[in-house]
Amino acid sequence: MLLSHGGEPLRTADRAARWTVEQVLALAPDESSRKAGSKLGSAGPWSGGGCDASGAVWGLCKGSGSKPYQTVVDTTGPAYKCSCPSRKFPCKHALGLLLVWASGESALPAGEVPDWAGEWLTGRRKRAADKGVKGGQAAGGASAAGPADPEAARRRAERRAERITGGAQELEQRLTDLLRGGLAAADQSGYGLWEETAARMVDAQAPGLAARVRELGSIPASGPGWPVRLLEECALLHLLDSAWLGIDRLPEPLAATVRTRVGLTAPAEGPPVRDHWLVLAQYDTPDGKIVTRRIWLYGRDSGRTALLLSFGAAGRSPGLALPVGVTIDAEITPCPGAGQLRAELGGQFGVPSPTGTPPPGGTAAAAIGAYGNALRDDPWLDAWPVTLREVIPVPSEDGWQLVDAAGDAALPIAAAALSRPGLWKLVALSGGSPVTVFGECGHGGFDPLAAWSTDADAGAGACGVDADGVEISSVDTTSETVPLI
């Protein structure tokens, strides 16, 4: 069976730039696919391959059967198609083909697209072009698509809100019972009680509350000091319950954040923001029966950081995938809520650039201040995206920390990052010298996601002041992004 998937193609006549090996491997849906794709990353198993200026890459990969697998990639999406039966996107054959392409022009010479690949490329680009025309008409005219029956949609929303309110009231009662009986009882009751409560929140159509209840259930087994952590999380959950029950009295930005936190989705709204977006990081996290993919972007001209979310289920990797380190000329539409970090990816223009300029960086103290400011708008925020400028990874008694080159402040590296290979990539990139690091700064420390070496000959770059009055500096040279996750 032929399987295909991918994003919007880019309508351009420019020559597509080759990606790096790191950018290709960052697209792998999991570690097993990364290893399997690496084994196919040489010219040996491939035949009839090539590439063209539009960003198409194709090849025939020898498999266990009599016929080779037909693999084609549109790097401007990116999008993939392979005749193998894999349910992963990209599959190991697509990853291997891209690795061969990244190794140099001799492995996959320029040529004309064969019929078997051209048919798919032409069809998908035509469908995307038609989709773009329809989307533009809807956005620019008064006939923008809305609910087929607005009154029915309003009644459904009211019924769901009533169910969530009932679930929040029940959750408040269970939290009260827990505190009345003492936190020690939480260790004795086991995880079953929490799972039952989470199931009730799912029935109330409040998946955000259900996820937080499940987190509560895992805290008693998290090691010494768990009662303190449990009390903290219970307080945050009580705050969210209270906010929902009194949502009519909240200002709209905070009310939008509360709706998102309890699990209500909101469509992207407002004018699209077109910019040259550097793909900072991409990683997947399991969330029950689905996998959530997070992609961080940074706008070169707007200075804006954006988060794209994509979801996969039933053994399928999330649909959206962007190579880390490339810069795309694209539009995004922000979603409502505090900070407006989350956005939806819109149309793309031109050929992606394989490199980009890192975001402006600040000190460790500025990063903590930025997270603190974000907490004022969203008290349930676990972390905030920040970039640290001129920091050095240094071992500490209980792990590692990122120390300002001036030596006056430091941030501990989050425990989750200590066991990842990315930590040693960061240490090797630094070699004792300052580096620029992007990551998520939160109550658990700093989680590094990407890094850039600091060019000593380039100087400090342009200086400026952020929205909070903190002095920042930016790297004024284009450099390669090193993914750390």
Side-chain angles (χ1 to χ4, degrees), residues 87-228:
R87 293 166 58 91
K88 297 179 180 180
F89 297 102
C91 67
K92 64 179 182 180
H93 304 102
L95 290 171
L97 179 64
L98 288 174
L99 289 172
V100 175
W101 175 64
S103 66
E105 297 183 4
S106 59
L108 293 173
E112 293 189 5
V113 180
D115 293 341
W116 60 267
E119 182 179 355
W120 173 76
L121 288 166
T122 302
R124 93 168 215 91
R125 289 173 176 174
K126 182 180 183 301
R127 289 191 298 272
D130 294 341
K131 179 181 177 182
V133 171
K134 293 179 181 178
Q137 292 174 346
S143 60
D149 187 343
E151 181 62 24
R154 183 188 63 80
R155 291 195 298 267
R156 287 194 299 270
E158 290 179 350
R159 288 195 295 269
R160 182 174 183 183
E162 291 175 357
R163 284 192 287 268
I164 294 175
T165 298
Q169 292 171 341
E170 179 180 344
L171 183 55
E172 279 292 284
Q173 185 60 51
R174 298 208 177 192
L175 290 176
T176 301
D177 294 342
L178 171 65
L179 296 180
R180 183 183 294 115
L183 293 179
D187 189 26
Q188 301 170 1
S189 59
Y191 189 76
L193 176 62
W194 299 106
E195 185 59 36
E196 178 188 348
T197 305
R200 289 288 301 116
M201 296 304 103
V202 172
D203 293 341
Q205 293 186 296
L209 294 179
R212 288 191 167 270
V213 169
R214 291 192 179 97
E215 291 178 3
L216 288 181
S218 64
I219 292 177
S222 62
W226 67 265
V228 175

Side-chain angles (χ1 to χ4, degrees), residues 183-348:
L183 293 179
D187 189 26
Q188 301 170 1
S189 59
Y191 189 76
L193 176 62
W194 299 106
E195 185 59 36
E196 178 188 348
T197 305
R200 289 288 301 116
M201 296 304 103
V202 172
D203 293 341
Q205 293 186 296
L209 294 179
R212 288 191 167 270
V213 169
R214 291 192 179 97
E215 291 178 3
L216 288 181
S218 64
I219 292 177
S222 62
W226 67 265
V228 175
R229 294 190 292 275
L230 180 61
L231 183 60
E232 291 173 347
E233 292 301 322
C234 285
L236 285 173
L237 188 53
H238 167 67
L239 180 64
L240 183 56
D241 281 342
S242 301
W244 172 262
L245 295 175
I247 196 169
D248 293 338
R249 301 189 298 271
L250 300 179
E252 181 51 35
L254 182 57
T257 298
V258 171
R259 285 191 287 268
T260 301
R261 290 298 181 184
V262 300
L264 289 174
T265 58
E269 59 185 21
V273 180
R274 181 174 176 179
D275 206 338
H276 291 82
W277 300 96
L278 173 64
V279 183
L280 298 171
Q282 173 179 291
Y283 64 95
D284 298 344
T285 54
D287 185 12
K289 296 181 179 180
I290 66 173
V291 175
T292 303
R293 173 166 294 168
R294 291 171 170 83
I295 303 177
W296 286 107
L297 305 177
Y298 171 73
R300 185 187 67 187
D301 301 323
S302 64
R304 183 176 191 144
T305 302
L307 174 64
L308 307 180
L309 294 182
S310 183
F311 304 94
R316 300 176 69 94
S317 60
L320 182 61
L322 296 174
V324 174
V326 305
T327 299
I328 59 174
D329 181 3
E331 289 182 342
I332 66 166
T333 303
C335 297
Q340 290 192 319
L341 286 177
R342 184 177 176 184
E344 291 185 2
L345 183 63
Q348 301 180 43

Side-chain angles (χ1 to χ4, degrees), residues 20-28 34 279-283 322-326 354 420-427 429 436-438 447-453 479-485:
T20 65
V21 171
E22 289 280 3
Q23 290 169 342
V24 172
L25 293 178
L27 293 173
R34 188 176 292 110
V279 183
L280 298 171
Q282 173 179 291
Y283 64 95
L322 296 174
V324 174
V326 305
R420 294 199 304 255
L423 173 62
W424 302 110
K425 291 170 65 176
L426 176 60
V427 173
L429 178 68
T436 299
V437 185
F438 167 80
D447 192 355
L449 303 177
W452 301 263
S453 61
S479 55
E480 180 181 338
T481 305
V482 178
L484 303 177
I485 188 171

